[in-house]
Amino acid sequence: MAVGTDLTSDVRRRTSGSLKIGIAGAGLLGRLLAWKLLRQGHRVSLFDRGSRAAELSAAKVAASMLAPYSEVLSAERCVFDWGCMALNWWPQELAPLKDLTGEHVDFAAEGSVVVAHELDKSSLNHFEQQLRSKVADCEYNIERIDQRRLADLEPELAERYRGGLFLAEEGYLDNGALLSALETAISQLGGEWHEYSEVQRVEAGKIVLENKTYEFDWAIDSRGMGAKNQLPDLRGVRGEVLWVHAPEVNLRRPVRLMHPRYKLYISPRSGNRYVIGATEIESESMKPVTVRSSLELMSALYSVHSGFAEATLLHAYAHCRPAMPNNLPEIKCTKGLLVVNGLYRHGYLLSPYVVETALAMMSR
């Protein structure tokens, strides 16, 4: 299957063969599927327990890094392969999205930098050894860099670190801008929104709310944790992120800090904004970010770059990412019913594979 292409011609008009499709859950997967299906000429309705602003979606609480190399050490090899696909898929989808909506979504694939303090160099060395072993066929994209090379890539990091690793094929995108652009595109293409609609069940050809049942040619369940009543193996993995505005910090690429207890990551955004995270907690708690997590994140952040001391804390978000027992996405398709779930912590990395695979199953 060609990456980034629709399964039928990319049309923006209704056709005689169009299907009536209902999507339960308007998070990342729901919006991407709606975007693709509407461009194929189908009629799409989205149902979500929140608003179209996606304020209740796990997709909103993400650094949205595209990091197949960094993530493969704690995942199956297929996560790496599917993640590499995403690096090509995203720019091919973002171009027509911008053409339609006029909304720009920051995307960059200029690599990422991994650093460690001198006392933690063993963690960096261990990370490199494991990574080279796991993706030996692609280790040419893993570069051990000295301070001079680091200064070329990220000058402000070279003031504090003597070197690190450069992972050439990694990147990031702006998840907030993406969710907004998809909302605009879906509306412009005629998608129907059902906001604040708590879906009780999704069955073949049916989306069931508390007081009403909607019928479709296809029903798609992409509710994440909202589908737990129908996916008993689904579990939540809590993640916490901070958004900061740091005028004194200028980083172009995602940065990871190796640490014996946790691995801090920093994902850049436009306007000297950064998303910071590290936590991965086996808990389904939806409570706000804890003081402990905030202190640990901010302390580690300051250790990476002293300019973060003057940063302004914009947001502190916490959410549960849906995960299956093997931490891999689940895609099930029977006549009239498609179930997609379990993106775990790899939402923006694996959603291209999940979307294209799901659409291929529907077309059989």
Side-chain angles (χ1 to χ4, degrees):
M1 176 175 55
V3 175
T5 59
D6 284 321
L7 301 171
T8 61
S9 59
D10 185 3
V11 294
R12 300 187 183 186
R13 64 183 184 277
R14 300 299 179 205
T15 64
S16 58
S18 68
L19 298 171
K20 185 180 179 183
I21 300 172
I23 301 177
L28 178 60
L29 283 177
R31 289 174 192 233
L32 287 174
L33 286 165
W35 157 246
K36 301 281 282 187
L37 290 164
L38 284 164
R39 289 162 65 201
Q40 293 177 10
H42 302 300
R43 293 166 290 163
V44 177
S45 300
L46 291 102
F47 299 78
D48 198 87
R49 61 192 180 94
S51 77
R52 64 182 70 188
E55 75 280 1
L56 300 180
S57 173
K60 192 113 177 179
V61 185
S64 52
M65 294 195 301
L66 307 174
Y69 287 81
S70 300
E71 294 296 331
V72 72
L73 288 192
S74 58
E76 301 292 334
R77 168 63 193 243
C78 58
V79 169
F80 174 80
D81 297 327
W82 299 339
C84 289
M85 165 194 165
L87 291 167
N88 294 321
W89 189 92
W90 279 113
Q92 294 179 32
E93 290 299 318
L94 293 178
L97 186 62
K98 183 178 181 180
D99 288 343
L100 176 64
T101 66
E103 298 183 27
H104 175 74
V105 178
D106 279 345
F107 167 87
E110 299 178 357
S112 69
V113 173
V114 186
V115 294
H117 298 301
E118 288 300 311
L119 292 177
D120 300 326
K121 278 295 181 66
S122 60
S123 296
L124 179 64
N125 294 336
H126 184 61
F127 176 84
E128 180 185 8
Q129 291 168 2
Q130 285 189 304
L131 184 55
R132 289 187 183 277
S133 174
K134 193 141 189 184
V135 292
D137 52 325
C138 297
E139 67 170 336
Y140 51 84
N141 283 317
I142 306 167
E143 179 186 354
R144 188 72 184 227
I145 57 176
D146 59 16
Q147 194 168 27
R148 180 177 297 181
R149 174 70 168 137
L150 180 58
D152 290 338
L153 295 167
E154 295 292 345
E156 295 180 6
L157 292 181
E159 299 173 8
R160 184 162 294 199
Y161 300 98
R162 296 180 182 177
L165 291 178
F166 177 54
L167 307 178
E169 291 194 352
E170 294 201 331
Y172 70 94
L173 58 79
D174 186 334
N175 58 317
L178 174 68
L179 294 172
S180 174
L182 287 170
E183 184 264 313
T184 301
I186 290 166
S187 298
Q188 290 185 357
L189 291 172
E192 183 179 53
W193 291 90
H194 294 263
E195 301 175 89
Y196 308 109
S197 298
E198 189 80 41
V199 174
Q200 303 296 314
R201 296 190 320 280
V202 182
E203 304 171 358
K206 295 180 181 180
I207 291 181
V208 182
L209 277 61
E210 184 176 1
N211 299 315
K212 188 172 183 179
T213 297
Y214 292 82
E215 295 190 355
F216 301 95
D217 296 309
W218 279 89
I220 299 175
D221 190 348
S222 60
R223 288 177 292 163
M225 290 301 297
K228 193 170 182 180
N229 65 324
Q230 291 186 258
L231 296 175
D233 290 335
L234 193 68
R235 77 185 196 282
V237 180
R238 178 179 167 90
E240 300 166 324
V241 299
L242 305 179
W243 280 68
V244 302
H245 176 232
E248 297 182 16
V249 180
N250 296 282
L251 299 174
R252 291 176 53 196
R253 298 170 176 82
V255 176
R256 288 182 184 258
L257 175 67
M258 291 290 105
H259 187 277
R261 285 198 306 111
Y262 55 85
K263 296 175 177 61
L264 180 86
Y265 54 79
I266 304 168
S267 184
R269 296 291 187 269
S270 61
N272 296 93
R273 296 173 303 142
Y274 300 89
V275 184
I276 299 93
T279 57
E280 181 180 331
I281 305 166
E282 288 289 339
S283 167
E284 295 183 1
S285 170
M286 294 291 288
K287 293 180 179 179
V289 176
T290 65
V291 170
R292 178 180 178 178
S293 294
S294 296
L295 289 173
E296 288 186 343
L297 287 173
M298 288 189 282
S299 176
L301 186 63
Y302 174 71
S303 78
V304 172
H305 192 305
S306 60
F308 281 115
E310 302 303 320
T312 301
L313 180 61
L314 301 176
H315 307 288
Y317 293 132
H319 211 291
C320 287
R321 286 81 62 93
M324 302 305 294
N326 61 1
N327 292 335
L328 293 176
E330 182 164 283
I331 311 167
K332 292 182 178 179
C333 187
T334 55
K335 184 61 178 177
L337 176 64
L338 174 69
V339 177
V340 288
N341 213 317
L343 285 179
Y344 183 42
R345 54 178 289 166
H346 307 128
Y348 292 85
L349 188 65
L350 298 189
S351 52
Y353 165 79
V354 172
V355 166
E356 294 295 345
T357 302
L359 291 174
M361 288 182 174
M362 287 179 66
S363 70
R364 291 173 185 167

